[in-house]
Amino acid sequence: MTNQHQHATATAFRALHTPGTPLVLPNAWDIASARVVEAAGAAAVATTSAGLAWALGAADGDRLPRDRALAAVAGIAAAVHVPVTADIESGYAQDAAGVADTVRAVLAAGVVGVNIEDALYGADGADRPLRAVAEQAERIAAARGAADAAGVPLFLNARVDTYLRGVGEGPDARLALTLERAAAFLVAGADGVFVPGAVDPATVKALVEGVDGPVNVMVGPGAPPVAELAGLGVARVSVGSGIAQAAHALVRGAARELLAEGTYGTLAGGLDYGELNELLGR
């Protein structure tokens, strides 16, 4: 992808984040799922870091080596014609300079958006599940600087894991902490704020009203439908690893039925062989 083309694609992707008319992203994790999502009519393809890690035989949570993750993302970006935004966990790096390196590699792969999370994993995460605000802001600023230097208006989605990781004593404190972190990340160069784990309509409304930028929520069974979230002013709706989890549940169900019952009912409704083969053979 030429820089001019990537710039135009990034600009178009940025324009899709409209409060009240959200960008809806069925997350993909490999080339096949990305092409299926694109063929279903998605305006863009978002990767799920968990689904991608699982497909490569690793656990989620900063355990997948950067080179393997970025190779998979590059394959996805090359396989579809719509904009691609990549979930790059916490940047696949120990420090801000490493995050900048990751962003440069992501841009080289033709990607026009990233999610960067503020969660901590491993021994550090046991005591403080989120990075300090200043540390995370530095990482976001490094990502912004790398994109700006490359001349690409990368959409940088700052993920705030207060709700997902249960940080904050009570709903009011959690909301206040989320808004504080979101504001700092936007000042550091983020374009939008992603708050997985927050789906209660009152909470979502408070986030939309309190965040000075597009708000992304993660949905799944039990969450309000997209139309309701649109009415609350959400600008982006994604499902994270949900589709990957459902796909793997089907694998398990089909395997158990075949092995235990010797029947094949779970396989009903699968994609037509010819359709899928044609989709991957283009």
Side-chain angles (χ1 to χ4, degrees):
M1 183 182 291
T2 65
N3 187 267
Q4 184 176 8
H5 182 203
Q6 189 173 20
H7 188 285
T9 301
T11 300
F13 178 68
R14 179 179 295 272
L16 294 173
H17 295 78
T18 305
T21 310
L23 169 63
V24 180
L25 295 168
N27 299 72
W29 60 94
D30 60 10
I31 290 173
S33 60
R35 284 198 171 172
V36 169
V37 165
E38 180 186 35
V45 168
T47 68
T48 158
S49 63
L52 189 147
W54 298 333
L56 295 175
D60 188 29
D62 284 342
R63 300 183 193 182
L64 184 66
R66 176 167 61 185
D67 58 346
R68 296 188 67 204
L70 295 184
V73 167
I76 290 170
V80 298
H81 300 292
V82 295
V84 172
T85 180
D87 184 339
I88 57 171
E89 301 195 40
S90 61
Y92 298 119
Q94 293 297 316
D95 55 21
V99 174
D101 288 340
T102 297
V103 167
R104 282 188 280 270
V106 164
L107 291 171
V111 170
V112 296
V114 294
N115 285 358
I116 300 180
E117 64 190 61
D118 62 354
L120 268 174
Y121 297 96
D124 290 339
D127 297 324
R128 55 184 185 102
L130 304 181
R131 292 183 188 277
V133 172
E135 179 189 4
Q136 184 65 6
E138 181 184 11
R139 295 167 75 88
I140 288 171
R144 177 84 280 146
D148 290 349
V152 179
L154 180 80
F155 191 94
L156 204 167
N157 209 24
R159 188 174 121 178
V160 181
D161 276 358
T162 43
Y163 285 86
L164 196 63
R165 307 201 79 179
V167 180
E169 297 295 332
D172 291 342
R174 185 166 298 159
L175 175 62
L177 180 61
T178 303
L179 295 178
E180 175 190 347
R181 296 179 77 85
F185 300 160
L186 289 168
V187 168
D191 298 292
V193 174
F194 178 26
V195 189
V199 293
D200 171 72
T203 301
V204 171
K205 182 179 180 182
L207 289 170
V208 168
E209 292 176 348
V211 173
D212 189 21
V215 172
N216 178 188
V217 298
M218 185 172 72
V219 297
V226 171
E228 184 176 346
L229 294 171
L232 295 172
V234 170
R236 177 164 158 174
V237 177
S238 51
V239 295
S241 61
I243 297 176
Q245 289 173 255
H248 293 307
L250 188 147
V251 172
R252 183 177 66 180
R256 285 179 172 175
E257 180 190 3
L258 179 62
L259 295 170
E261 309 295 333
T263 55
Y264 334 106
T266 307
L267 301 179
L271 278 178
D272 176 75
Y273 172 90
E275 178 185 357
L276 191 55
N277 209 42
E278 182 178 357
L279 192 63
L280 271 296
R282 72 182 191 205

